[in-house]
Amino acid sequence: MRIREVELLELELPLVRPFRTSFGTETARDVLIVKLHTDAGVGWGECVAGRDPLYSSEYVAGAVDVISNYLAPRLLAAGDIEASDVARLFKPIRNHPMSKAALEMAVLDAELKALGKSWANYFGVIREYVPSGVSVGIPADDQMTTLIDEVASYVDAGYVRIKLKIQPGWDIAAVKEVRRLWPNIPLQVDANQAYSRGDIRHLKQLDEFNLLLIEQPLAEEDLLGHAEMANQIQTPVCLDESIISLETAEQALDLKACSIINIKPGRVGGYLAARDIHDLCLDRGIAVWAGGMLETGIGRAANIAMAGLPAYSVVGDISESERFYAEDITDAFKLEAGHMKVPSKPGIGVEVHEATIAKYLTQRIQIGS
């Protein structure tokens, strides 16, 4: 398959409600979509970088630059190519996993459509439906009643697991109140690196709430600190931002820095790398789950499929489209008895609404036309 043109589509999609974490508050999402034109058809990909370099060092404007000037030219000059070639082709370009993942995703989507094969079939997914959890941000007004009302709306909607964002000053009391009101619902917390080793004793208070896990409490570079915490608290420690490759996943497991891993394909360089990490964890008996990055239906479709792999034994952030967007750029994903149906059509398995893209488009860049 030959790549003829790489089209970058930057959108500004308003969020249904502000989403607040320790990194800040978003009211709209800068979305970078890749439309790949090949001699076998069109493929779609999504870059999960944010507007600003807060969650990671990558951000949308930087991704546009590195794709336009370094990655896309390599694809266009590569001749016949398959998705399995992309990581090797991009290896000389240091870092930028989210940019690389977006292009690899688009190549794989075009490739699988040409073969008439679904994402789920290609990766060996074993489930037709995957359980759906939701991530609840810190209330913009810092009010407990706002948090409880939001959690109640998700419980009523049928989500089977709740994840609470926490940070210093918004943690123990919030978790205690949610657990009091919903004593049996699967519950976990996500710190997004907001704490330090000196907070281990404080976070040990979470042990009484029977949480599924605490996600990324310390800085992403601090594997030893996470190992120390995992040895001192009963709540399972899960790593997210620390896991940027198969190698870092192996190191984290060898150091016993975590007992659960959140796999985000964009963060690790693509869905093929994500599969390698999944296979490592499956071999070692480590539970994994699918994290979310406020994806549109393009990224959401691929994530839902990946969550059907055997090691995904913890409920992931596989929310309905309307959890974030009143208007998505694909058909909306809907809950079915607390689960999402794995797409079965060729490629990522969703139709992209180009009229909706045009409505929210802020920039279009064509490379290689």
Side-chain angles (χ1 to χ4, degrees), residues 67-147:
I67 292 173
S68 299
N69 293 305
Y70 299 98
L71 300 179
R74 287 175 173 267
L75 274 185
L76 292 164
D80 287 328
I81 192 170
E82 297 179 353
S84 58
D85 301 320
V86 173
R88 172 188 52 78
L89 188 68
F90 290 164
K91 189 173 182 180
I93 308 302
R94 298 287 295 167
N95 301 322
H96 302 283
M98 295 176 182
S99 301
K100 294 175 179 179
L103 289 172
E104 182 192 83
M105 181 183 186
V107 173
L108 185 56
D109 182 43
E111 180 181 319
L112 294 181
K113 285 174 180 172
L115 294 172
K117 182 179 289 189
S118 71
W119 207 263
N121 181 261
Y122 177 82
F123 283 99
V125 167
I126 63 170
R127 304 180 184 98
E128 185 179 356
Y129 289 86
V130 297
S132 182
V134 67
S135 179
V136 184
I138 299 165
D141 59 7
D142 291 314
Q143 295 299 307
M144 190 71 72
T145 54
T146 304
L147 173 71

Side-chain angles (χ1 to χ4, degrees), residues 79-338:
D80 287 328
I81 192 170
E82 297 179 353
S84 58
D85 301 320
V86 173
R88 172 188 52 78
L89 188 68
F90 290 164
K91 189 173 182 180
I93 308 302
R94 298 287 295 167
N95 301 322
H96 302 283
M98 295 176 182
S99 301
K100 294 175 179 179
L103 289 172
E104 182 192 83
M105 181 183 186
V107 173
L108 185 56
D109 182 43
E111 180 181 319
L112 294 181
K113 285 174 180 172
L115 294 172
K117 182 179 289 189
S118 71
W119 207 263
N121 181 261
Y122 177 82
F123 283 99
V125 167
I126 63 170
R127 304 180 184 98
E128 185 179 356
Y129 289 86
V130 297
S132 182
V134 67
S135 179
V136 184
I138 299 165
D141 59 7
D142 291 314
Q143 295 299 307
M144 190 71 72
T145 54
T146 304
L147 173 71
I148 297 308
D149 288 346
E150 186 173 353
V151 172
S153 72
Y154 298 138
V155 174
D156 291 344
Y159 285 101
V160 299
R161 186 227 67 193
I162 300 294
K163 180 173 86 173
L164 302 179
K165 295 288 187 176
I166 62 171
Q167 65 182 19
W170 184 269
D171 45 31
I172 307 302
V175 175
K176 183 176 183 178
E177 184 63 6
V178 171
R179 178 51 86 209
R180 183 184 72 81
L181 293 169
W182 292 280
N184 299 316
I185 196 166
L187 181 65
Q188 64 192 60
V189 295
D190 182 7
N192 289 122
Q193 310 182 59
Y195 296 89
S196 68
R197 295 191 196 189
D199 295 311
I200 292 177
R201 184 175 179 182
H202 172 73
L203 292 173
K204 187 172 174 57
Q205 295 177 77
L206 294 171
D207 287 348
E208 69 175 283
F209 303 119
N210 190 31
L211 301 179
L212 294 172
L213 57 90
I214 178 172
E215 182 181 355
Q216 197 68 45
L218 310 180
E220 61 185 84
E221 300 89 354
D222 194 6
L223 291 182
L224 291 178
H226 282 103
E228 180 182 341
M229 178 175 286
N231 188 50
Q232 293 188 36
I233 69 173
Q234 295 176 12
T235 303
V237 173
C238 169
L239 290 182
D240 174 3
E241 291 95 322
S242 295
I243 307 300
I244 59 173
S245 64
L246 177 64
E247 291 76 18
T248 55
E250 287 183 304
Q251 291 167 18
L253 297 181
D254 288 346
L255 289 169
K256 295 182 170 54
C258 64
S259 55
I260 301 171
I261 284 179
N262 171 356
I263 299 180
K264 290 178 178 170
R267 192 193 60 233
V268 302
Y271 286 86
L272 299 181
R275 179 178 59 184
D276 291 341
I277 294 171
H278 164 274
D279 293 348
L280 166 72
C281 292
L282 184 65
D283 183 61
R284 295 205 183 186
I286 298 295
V288 303
W289 59 283
M293 294 285 287
L294 281 69
E295 291 92 345
T296 70
I298 292 175
R300 195 169 304 276
N303 289 350
I304 289 171
M306 295 297 284
L309 287 169
Y312 283 81
S313 57
V314 176
V315 180
D317 290 339
I318 308 293
S319 308
E320 288 187 312
S321 301
E322 65 181 23
R323 160 67 181 90
F324 298 112
Y325 304 113
E327 189 174 19
D328 205 341
I329 62 173
T330 70
D331 289 341
F333 284 94
K334 297 285 189 179
L335 277 178
E336 299 180 35

Side-chain angles (χ1 to χ4, degrees), residues 10-19 25-32 51 294-297 300 320-329 356-362:
E10 190 174 344
L11 322 175
E12 185 174 33
L13 284 179
L15 294 172
V16 171
R17 57 164 58 89
F19 190 72
T25 302
E26 291 185 88
T27 57
R29 182 76 175 167
D30 267 17
V31 175
L32 182 60
R51 175 181 299 165
L294 281 69
E295 291 92 345
T296 70
R300 195 169 304 276
E320 288 187 312
S321 301
E322 65 181 23
R323 160 67 181 90
F324 298 112
Y325 304 113
E327 189 174 19
D328 205 341
I329 62 173
T356 307
I357 287 178
K359 180 178 177 180
Y360 294 104
L361 187 69
T362 59

